[in-house]
Amino acid sequence: MHRYRNAPSMGPEHMHRKRIAKVLVGILPAIALLANSGVASAQGTTSTGPRTITTSGAGSVNVVPDRLSLTLGVETTSASVSDALKANNASAQALIGVLKSKGIDGKDTKTSGVSISPQFDTTGRRVTAYRVSNSLTVIVRKIETSGDLIEAAAAISGDAIRIGGLNFAVSDPNPSLAVARDLAVKDASAQAEQLAKAAGVKLGKLRSIRVGGTSSPSPVFKGADARTTSTPISEGTQEITASVELVFDIQD
């Protein structure tokens, strides 16, 4: 009868090494797959994008305004609200009548404000009167007639007349704005060519163009015409500006 000797048992250290070997057998193929696909490559190439030149240009055009917007109003004061309103309504109707007689179209006249405010004595406690104001915004499409219009309004309203808010404008700024944009593009293109030459490179095709803001600053006033007999109104000129940003490729 044969007797078999039992195999020696594995110690804790041997078992730990065996577990590590099994783990490595499982992950080594995955590491090899990542390396072959380039994901884990440390020598991959990166793209720096196209080489470009970016410039900003501006253009401006001086235009003579052909439209005037002004505020005409009447202000009356009386001891009672009803009397102040009655006087103000009469003055306002007379003012509107003068505007119509001077050729101002109804669509070019609108009420811009009406107010009733109490007036107090020196103590600030007792009401002594009521002030009523009525103002109209008027568009004058023939600026040369604005002086006569203001004088007629003052004559019909007397001391109640109030004038303010004088603003000049260009009815259709688009043609001038188009010229300003053309000048802005030429300015930016010239800058790009100069920069390319200075850098010793060749300017490529236009990659993109972005239109910047436009503006019409307040008019620059000219001297009043001494020959006129009415209130001198001089429209001056307005500067319409435009800006663009151009991006050009640099030829390789």
Side-chain angles (χ1 to χ4, degrees):
M1 181 175 180
H2 298 281
R3 294 181 178 179
Y4 295 93
R5 182 180 297 176
N6 292 333
S9 60
M10 298 182 182
E13 182 179 354
H14 181 77
M15 295 295 292
H16 181 66
R17 290 178 180 176
K18 190 173 181 180
R19 291 192 189 97
I20 293 177
K22 289 182 178 180
V23 172
L24 289 176
V25 170
I27 66 174
L28 284 175
I31 294 176
L33 179 61
L34 290 174
N36 291 334
S37 66
V39 175
S41 175
Q43 299 180 351
T45 59
T46 59
S47 175
T48 59
R51 298 186 301 162
T52 60
I53 293 178
T54 302
T55 57
S56 297
S60 63
V61 178
N62 289 323
V63 184
V64 177
D66 59 357
R67 189 178 70 182
L68 170 65
S69 174
L70 75 158
T71 301
L72 295 176
V74 289
E75 186 178 276
T76 55
T77 303
S78 184
S80 68
V81 173
S82 60
D83 289 343
L85 275 172
K86 186 181 298 184
N88 194 274
N89 290 339
S91 296
Q93 290 296 333
L95 178 59
I96 293 174
V98 167
L99 296 177
K100 291 181 179 180
S101 68
K102 292 296 182 179
I104 302 299
D105 196 296
K107 66 180 181 180
D108 290 332
T109 303
K110 69 175 181 179
T111 300
S112 54
V114 176
S115 67
I116 302 175
S117 57
Q119 306 301 299
F120 296 90
D121 62 9
T122 55
T123 65
R125 297 178 180 178
R126 188 173 65 88
V127 175
T128 58
Y130 292 89
R131 178 177 296 168
V132 179
S133 298
N134 190 335
S135 57
L136 303 171
T137 298
V138 182
I139 296 177
V140 182
R141 299 186 183 276
K142 294 181 180 180
I143 296 179
E144 65 274 12
T145 66
S146 57
D148 289 335
L149 178 65
I150 291 174
E151 286 192 356
I156 196 67
S157 302
D159 294 339
I161 191 67
R162 298 293 183 271
I163 301 173
L166 198 68
N167 295 296
F168 293 96
V170 178
S171 298
D172 185 11
N174 290 325
S176 298
L177 185 57
V179 175
R181 285 174 177 155
D182 286 343
L183 294 174
V185 170
K186 291 179 181 178
D187 180 34
S189 298
Q191 292 182 47
E193 291 173 359
Q194 188 272 329
L195 289 173
K197 183 178 180 181
V201 297
K202 290 185 178 181
L203 197 65
K205 66 179 182 178
L206 178 63
R207 176 173 287 270
S208 67
I209 179 170
R210 183 171 65 88
V211 179
T214 61
S215 64
S216 300
S218 299
V220 178
F221 292 102
K222 302 180 292 185
D225 189 349
R227 294 172 297 174
T228 182
T229 58
S230 61
T231 302
I233 300 294
S234 183
E235 69 275 17
T237 61
Q238 282 187 328
E239 185 181 42
I240 296 178
T241 64
S243 63
V244 297
E245 180 183 274
L246 304 183
V247 179
F248 291 90
D249 283 336
I250 296 177
Q251 288 185 357
D252 295 325

